Amino acid sequence: MSLPLVLAAMPALAQDMPNSLDMTCAAASALVQERGQVVMATGSDFQRLVSGPGYCDAEHSATPRWIRTADQSQCLVGYYCRDRMDDSR
């Protein structure tokens, strides 16, 4: 019964999500630092970005995350929580 409500809210959630392509590197990085963790659109997908390892659980480690922003093709905005067992990245 609640699935239709969730699906109806999805477009609104996408509109509220910050988009790295609309932000400068400094603004994207500042947003992650201010909030501690942010789900950010990065072009064709979205990512959970964190300000440090305290936002990752015991099975994950904080790994630097470089994304594209409006002014830079590679901007260090913070970290992502990577599975400690994932050696593929």
Side-chain angles (χ1 to χ4, degrees), residues 62-84:
T63 302
R65 177 53 91 195
W66 299 79
I67 62 171
R68 186 173 179 196
T69 59
D71 62 337
Q72 293 187 21
S73 62
Q74 294 290 312
C75 170
L76 178 61
V77 293
Y79 303 87
Y80 74 102
C81 297
R82 182 177 140 219
D83 189 329
R84 291 183 189 275

Side-chain angles (χ1 to χ4, degrees), residues 1 19-20 28 31 38 41 48 50 53-54 58 60 62-63 66-67 79-80:
M1 184 103 184
N19 188 330
S20 67
L31 183 65
V38 176
R48 178 178 175 253
V50 299
H60 295 86
T63 302
W66 299 79
I67 62 171
Y79 303 87
Y80 74 102

Side-chain angles (χ1 to χ4, degrees), residues 27-48:
S29 179
L31 183 65
V32 173
Q33 292 303 311
E34 286 173 16
R35 294 189 183 173
Q37 60 182 342
V38 176
V39 176
M40 187 177 295
T42 59
S44 61
D45 65 353
F46 60 91
Q47 299 178 26
R48 178 178 175 253

Side-chain angles (χ1 to χ4, degrees), residues 16-33:
D16 293 339
M17 185 183 304
N19 188 330
S20 67
L21 300 179
D22 296 333
M23 307 170 80
T24 64
C25 180
S29 179
L31 183 65
V32 173
Q33 292 303 311

